[in-house]
Amino acid sequence: MTYDKHDCDLMCERLAAYIEGDLTAAERAVAERHLAECKTCAEALVELRAIAGEAAQLPLLTPSRDLWAGIESRISTPVTLLDSTPASARPAWRRRWQFAIAAGALIAVPLLHESVTWTLVAGGALMAAGVWLHLTERHEHPHWHGTLQHSHPHFPDSHHRHDHP
Amino acid sequence: MTATATEVVPIQAIDDSATAIARAASGDRHAFEHVYRAHLKHVYSLCVRMTGDRTRAEELTQDVFVRAWEKLPSFRGESAFSTWLHRLTVNVVLNERRVDGRERGRTVSSDDDDECTAPAASTAQPRHAERLDLERAIAKLPRGARRVFVLHDVEGFTHEEIGTMLGVTAGGCKAQLHRARLLLREALKR
């Protein structure tokens, strides 16, 4: 694309592409002819490149205080999981109950003369999973009860009966 | 991540940064402090220049190193550790801005209504020409232009890398960079 050699506005638009090296060879040649003749655009190019150059040389900054203490306290704080109860801490009755279910299943199959099929095994596994979920689920979320509305009459006991004037 | 230092080695004895990184990744907080001190200024500088706020930058710097501690075991050495840490810094800063933007009901991509707060400086444009140093001028840039300028001209990321980080095209990144440079040129004129 060619433009009037004195069209600085167009040159300004092309300046970013010129700096980035995104112009075609022909476009670059036109731009360089303009820059060679236009002092204003040439100065702008020099200043923009100088800003980029200065930015790359900016010194590193230092915080106003030592930040390590705050960091160390955060990485030292142990993370407590919501349900971190180890298996050994679970009540013994729960472990015995789970064992009893498994033992009962193993005994019931031969006693009832049932053949062990894949269907039976799958059904048993699903039942075991359901029992396990039931025994291990824990609900500790707080909940509030709303005001109860009820219409049945109240009959206070003899101690609480009193006449109103 | 459970951090237990089974062996305490004085910082002075840790000369090899790669050794310090490896020990820190295995839970040695002493070694991690060495890593922290070796990279503190670069991380803090990046936070200051991307946010334009030194106080906030100190908080973000702490966030960066806490996150680095958590993520260190996943560092595979495919890139230089400084590159990995700087990318993590950019992510922490950008995520902080996204959360902050949602809480304020603003969109992240909005740039026209951005208000950047220069450290200990008025946000009003100077009526008379006065010479601002480049650091203060950068802090006064609109957020989007400031991010791109800092990441490209200060930190040396490519347009493609910046585009990936910010979710913009390389062309959009170049336009923002040119805009930032023009604004800085105006701000630095005598």
Side-chain angles (χ1 to χ4, degrees), chain B residues 123-156:
Chain B
T123 56
Q125 292 292 332
R127 282 182 166 276
H128 305 284
E130 64 177 15
R131 193 157 188 264
L132 297 174
D133 59 20
L134 183 56
E135 203 73 72
R136 291 173 61 196
I138 291 172
K140 289 181 176 292
L141 285 174
R143 186 181 69 201
R146 183 173 68 242
R147 284 178 182 173
V148 173
F149 180 81
V150 168
L151 291 173
H152 186 275
D153 283 358
V154 179
E155 295 295 326

Side-chain angles (χ1 to χ4, degrees), chain B residues 7 26 32 34 137 143 146 159:
Chain B
E7 180 183 353
S26 63
F32 186 65
H34 180 80
R143 186 181 69 201
R146 183 173 68 242
H159 291 294

Side-chain angles (χ1 to χ4, degrees), chain A residues 22 47 59 61 64 74, chain B residues 45 49 58 63 159 174 185:
Chain A
D22 290 340
E47 290 171 1
L61 304 174
S64 62
R74 288 171 66 178
Chain B
S45 300
R49 288 164 184 153
E58 290 186 352
D63 293 343
H159 291 294
K174 293 178 182 179
R185 179 175 173 245

Side-chain angles (χ1 to χ4, degrees), chain A residues 52-146:
Chain A
E54 274 188 61
Q57 302 296 324
L58 283 175
L60 295 177
L61 304 174
T62 304
S64 62
R65 56 189 175 89
D66 187 6
L67 305 176
W68 174 247
I71 295 168
E72 186 178 31
S73 67
R74 288 171 66 178
I75 64 176
S76 301
T77 303
V79 177
T80 303
L81 300 178
L82 292 178
D83 185 7
S84 59
T85 305
S88 60
R90 293 178 189 148
W93 66 264
R94 182 177 289 180
R95 295 198 298 275
R96 286 196 290 270
W97 178 234
Q98 291 170 336
F99 175 77
I101 292 175
L106 289 174
I107 294 173
V109 169
L111 275 181
L112 297 176
H113 303 289
E114 290 289 341
S115 57
V116 180
T117 64
W118 285 113
T119 305
L120 181 65
V121 172
L126 288 173
M127 285 180 59
V131 171
W132 178 80
L133 285 172
H134 176 69
L135 293 176
T136 58
E137 66 178 355
R138 296 175 62 184
H139 297 282
E140 296 182 346
H141 53 270
H143 53 279
W144 297 266
H145 291 288

